[in-house]
Amino acid sequence: MLRILAGLGLVLIIVLLFLVTVVDQSHYQDQSFYQQWKQNINQVKISAADTAGPLQVGWARINITPSTPTPMAGYGNRWGKAYESVHDSVYVRAIVLDNGTSRAALITADLLIIPPTVTERLKWKLKAINFSFDQVYLGATHSHNSIGGWGNTITGELFAGDFDPNAVEQIAQAMFLAITRARDAQAPATMTYRETVDSVNVRNRLVGEEGTVDPEVRTLQFTTREGKKALLTSYSAHSTLLGSKVMALSRDYPGLLVDSLERSAASFAMYMAGAVGSMGPVERGKDDFEEMVNQAAGVQRSVLSSGAIEEVQAGSLIQSLTLALPLREPKPRLTRIFALRPWVFRWAFGDYPVYVKALRIGNVLMVGLPCDFSGELMADLDAYAKKQGLNLMVTSFNGGYIGYITHDRYFERDTYETITMNWYGPYNGAYFQEVVRDIVDKMK
């Protein structure tokens, strides 16, 4: 019996060694992926668009609400159950810009993330309209009560329900149609950048008052000669006012915000989740739905505040960049010390391209990252960009996804964001900040 137990113990040890390793604590600047990033960014050549003509802008929306209930995406404890009712419809929205020399499309979807499966399908579709993926800037509202079915991995199905190729096709097709319709609706326009501080409607959900928040509400406003306006707003508070027990399809507070802006201030509005990592909404109300209404109203007051910093963009510069983002080997953490091996990660999470996106419009620089990027990392980046004459908008969920990027000082904390959703080891807060600064330097 002892020999049998000893043999089983040995087998268990071998299995564990096959599955589990220790967390790599080495500094990111000592890693080969860091040197590869530096090589990637140094090879980028950004040409000035001296021949650019007047700015042309068009916009469009496509309803992607299914005709019958489908799996919801957002909370793992739902186990991919289908929604039971529709509180408000979900959409894909697009703004297309063109100055005669360069063009770009901004797309946001009322989804948890922009799924890599959808991104790959969209790349294929863009060929039909001679649009490069480099020219497409992706973002999501990050609703935890939207449609799922788009994840073709074990983890994807946990958070988004059973995989359905038709769901992927329908979302990608909606993005394609939104681009084409926005392109066909283009008209001469000007752009204004608006920025307000709203610390009332966002909190640090990771460490509370020990940490900081990103309180800025950043908005691009496009105005046609006929006076029609389109607004693109970004904020850092998570779209999690509707909890996991609410089985109603909804865009959460960004949906109410967009609808209200379209009723009161604009012909068209869209929203992209900003640096939402570690940032939560402020819950005020008797239930989830009242909290959602109050949050949307608070953010809208900030968007339309008469005290906003406002900068009219004199030029029509459009510059786009999509660049591969090297990372260390993925090792999802089990504890502060132990992690799963990279092959286990790829088996459970998949293996999709990871990249950073950037879009400069006038003096506004948008940087799209493949993660829940922490708002605590924004203050230094915002100040750095302003010194270079740029207004910085960092958005999460750019079409790839690598988990949470938090401030490095919390790496050893035993929390959901730093353990469960940290897949690429330590020092990524500093690394991603350096990546953004490098892009600012390249596109200033």
Side-chain angles (χ1 to χ4, degrees):
M1 178 62 70
L2 289 177
R3 288 181 179 179
I4 293 175
L5 292 175
L8 291 174
L10 179 60
V11 170
L12 179 61
I13 291 173
I14 292 173
V15 169
L16 287 175
L17 289 174
F18 187 58
L19 296 175
V20 177
T21 184
V22 295
V23 175
D24 178 6
Q25 296 285 354
S26 57
H27 196 271
Y28 76 96
Q29 291 182 337
D30 297 328
Q31 299 288 313
S32 59
F33 73 84
Y34 173 73
Q35 305 303 325
Q36 184 61 56
W37 164 254
K38 287 299 185 181
Q39 181 177 332
N40 290 354
I41 191 68
N42 289 335
Q43 290 176 346
V44 171
K45 304 297 181 184
I46 302 292
S47 58
D50 297 329
T51 59
L55 183 64
Q56 301 275 330
V57 180
W59 52 80
R61 68 178 65 80
I62 304 291
N63 194 321
I64 57 172
T65 307
S67 57
T68 57
T70 63
M72 294 180 74
Y75 297 104
N77 60 3
R78 287 188 182 133
W79 298 99
K81 291 181 181 178
Y83 62 85
E84 298 172 357
S85 63
V86 176
H87 179 271
D88 53 289
S89 295
V90 291
Y91 294 85
V92 164
R93 297 170 188 254
I95 294 176
V96 172
L97 314 171
D98 197 321
N99 63 11
T101 300
S102 304
R103 62 178 179 172
L106 298 105
I107 302 176
T108 187
D110 296 317
L111 299 172
L112 179 67
I113 62 174
I114 301 297
T117 51
V118 171
T119 304
E120 293 303 304
R121 185 64 179 158
L122 177 63
K123 288 179 182 178
W124 183 84
K125 288 178 175 290
L126 290 172
K127 298 174 184 177
I129 53 174
N130 197 30
F131 238 99
S132 164
F133 183 64
D134 288 354
Q135 298 171 311
V136 176
Y137 188 98
L138 295 166
T141 58
H142 197 42
S143 169
H144 288 58
N145 272 59
S146 187
I147 56 176
W150 37 253
N152 61 350
T153 64
I154 293 173
T155 308
E157 293 200 350
L158 172 64
F159 282 92
D162 292 342
F163 178 62
D164 180 2
N166 291 327
V168 173
E169 171 62 24
Q170 289 164 5
I171 297 169
Q173 181 64 13
M175 291 179 174
F176 175 80
L177 287 176
I179 293 174
T180 56
R181 292 180 185 179
R183 178 200 61 189
D184 294 343
Q186 285 178 335
T190 59
M191 189 184 86
T192 303
Y193 174 74
R194 293 172 55 84
E195 184 178 291
T196 55
V197 172
D198 182 354
S199 56
V200 176
N201 293 293
V202 63
R203 61 184 173 83
N204 189 311
R205 70 178 199 178
L206 180 64
V207 295
E209 294 185 0
E210 178 187 344
T212 61
V213 298
D214 176 22
E216 293 190 4
V217 182
R218 303 168 175 90
T219 301
L220 296 179
Q221 176 180 301
F222 301 96
T223 307
T224 68
R225 291 174 182 173
E226 292 76 25
K228 294 182 178 180
K229 294 180 181 179
L231 301 176
L232 167 57
T233 296
S234 181
Y235 190 48
S236 62
H238 248 86
S239 300
T240 49
L241 288 164
L242 298 181
S244 61
K245 293 182 180 180
V246 176
M247 298 303 293
L249 189 73
S250 175
R251 293 167 284 167
D252 208 287
Y253 83 85
L256 297 183
L257 171 64
V258 163
D259 290 349
S260 184
L261 288 172
E262 290 183 341
R263 287 193 299 266
S264 62
S267 303
F268 176 85
M270 57 192 276
Y271 178 92
M272 286 186 178
V276 296
S278 306
M279 303 291 105
V282 177
E283 300 166 354
R284 295 184 295 268
K286 66 178 184 297
D287 58 29
D288 291 357
F289 293 99
E290 187 172 290
E291 290 170 0
M292 189 169 68
V293 171
N294 292 336
Q295 177 79 5
V299 177
Q300 177 173 324
R301 284 193 293 271
S302 298
V303 173
L304 302 179
S305 170
S306 59
I309 297 172
E310 192 167 281
E311 181 180 320
V312 179
Q313 302 295 297
S316 60
L317 178 69
I318 300 173
Q319 294 175 332
S320 302
L321 174 67
T322 300
L323 196 59
L325 181 61
L327 299 165
R328 79 173 74 209
E329 285 282 275
K331 296 177 182 178
R333 301 173 77 190
L334 300 171
T335 68
R336 289 191 290 268
I337 298 174
F338 296 106
L340 295 174
R341 292 189 179 276
W343 75 265
V344 182
F345 173 88
R346 295 187 176 97
W347 169 75
F349 292 80
D351 189 13
Y352 288 94
V354 177
Y355 43 81
V356 59
K357 278 187 167 289
L359 173 62
R360 180 174 173 180
I361 317 166
N363 289 330
V364 176
L365 177 62
M366 302 181 68
V367 178
L369 298 174
C371 58
D372 284 76
F373 185 70
S374 174
E376 287 205 68
L377 303 171
M378 277 302 301
D380 291 344
L381 294 176
D382 197 53
Y384 185 84
K386 280 183 166 49
K387 287 182 180 179
Q388 311 300 323
L390 295 173
N391 296 303
L392 181 65
M393 295 177 67
V394 173
T395 60
S396 302
F397 318 116
N398 72 353
Y401 191 67
I402 62 164
Y404 278 71
I405 300 298
T406 56
H407 198 292
D408 294 329
R409 63 172 167 260
Y410 307 130
F411 183 72
E412 297 300 331
R413 300 284 180 98
D414 187 3
T415 71
Y416 173 77
E417 293 190 4
T418 56
I419 297 291
T420 305
M421 296 299 290
N422 182 300
W423 305 334
Y424 286 87
Y427 304 110
N428 276 311
Y431 175 47
F432 272 63
Q433 283 184 309
E434 184 168 346
V435 165
V436 175
R437 289 194 298 270
D438 286 347
I439 291 173
V440 169
D441 290 341
K442 185 63 66 171
M443 302 187 74
K444 64 185 179 182

